Amino acid sequence: MTIKNDKVVLIHYTLKDDKGETIDSSEGQEPLGYLHGKKNIVVGLESVLDGQKAGQKLNVIVKPEDGYGIYDEKMKQEVEKSKFGKEAELQVGARFQAETPQGVTIACIKEIKDKTVIVDFNHELAGKTLYFDIEIMDVRDASAEELEHGHVHGTGGHKH
Ligand code: ZN
């Protein structure tokens, strides 16, 4: 079966950065299931997988604009320390959930000053070129329920 919109695709993947360091991998776990054409995965990867078949192995390079976006300096902001809860341990590199006009995001503390903290609201992979090793394990039709939910159920998908 060929990958096209509304098919369920199961892939094993390893994601590396431009230094060859592994950022994420499905190795040793069940494959990742996604619903093709629903932007469950980054668009640069989804577009290359279109028209491929189960059993194929691919190396895919995804530029930042087709991945997690361009790094935006304006998304680095200075926040008063008092905005953080009392128990919050302020540490460079610490990640926390933050509410932004674009929704809930994971932000990262970049620098700690006297009264303020420099917080980076960019996605941690923003500005990065992504190197994927992909193996397509299975391609199947989606159920009506999966299409309604916009994601995969069962192996590699949502367990609910
Ligand atoms: Zn669901």
Side-chain angles (χ1 to χ4, degrees), residues 145-146 148-153 158-160:
E145 196 187 36
E146 286 174 322
E148 194 186 311
H149 289 198
H151 57 229
V152 172
H153 293 158
H158 285 237
K159 314 277 194 247
H160 70 150

Side-chain angles (χ1 to χ4, degrees), residues 41-45 47 61-70 130:
I41 59 172
V42 294
V43 293
L45 181 56
S47 63
I61 300 172
V62 176
K63 286 185 277 180
E65 55 267 42
D66 299 324
Y68 292 97
I70 307 279
L130 311 171

Side-chain angles (χ1 to χ4, degrees), residues 12-119:
H12 268 301
Y13 69 94
T14 295
L15 169 59
K16 291 180 180 157
D17 64 14
D18 57 3
K19 293 177 196 76
E21 300 270 347
T22 299
I23 297 169
D24 193 12
S25 177
S26 64
E27 208 177 304
Q29 301 168 50
E30 61 181 33
L32 170 74
Y34 80 93
L35 194 53
H36 194 76
K38 298 284 191 239
K39 296 192 165 71
N40 290 172
I41 59 172
V42 294
V43 293
L45 181 56
E46 189 169 59
S47 63
V48 170
L49 287 170
D50 199 77
Q52 306 285 347
K53 291 187 172 76
Q56 284 182 294
K57 290 184 180 181
L58 304 163
N59 295 304
V60 184
I61 300 172
V62 176
K63 286 185 277 180
E65 55 267 42
D66 299 324
Y68 292 97
I70 307 279
Y71 189 87
D72 184 358
E73 276 297 327
K74 288 196 292 289
M75 298 212 358
K76 235 162 77 177
Q77 286 170 18
E78 195 156 4
V79 178
E80 303 260 335
K81 271 186 181 169
S82 59
K83 300 246 181 184
F84 290 85
K86 262 193 191 132
E87 290 98 88
E89 214 173 307
L90 299 178
Q91 262 183 345
V92 172
R95 295 185 180 282
F96 61 95
Q97 280 203 337
E99 284 192 45
T100 70
Q102 286 78 39
V104 176
T105 184
I106 304 292
C108 181
I109 296 177
K110 287 281 160 191
E111 195 183 334
I112 295 169
K113 298 186 171 184
D114 272 358
K115 287 182 178 147
T116 60
V117 176
I118 308 290
V119 178

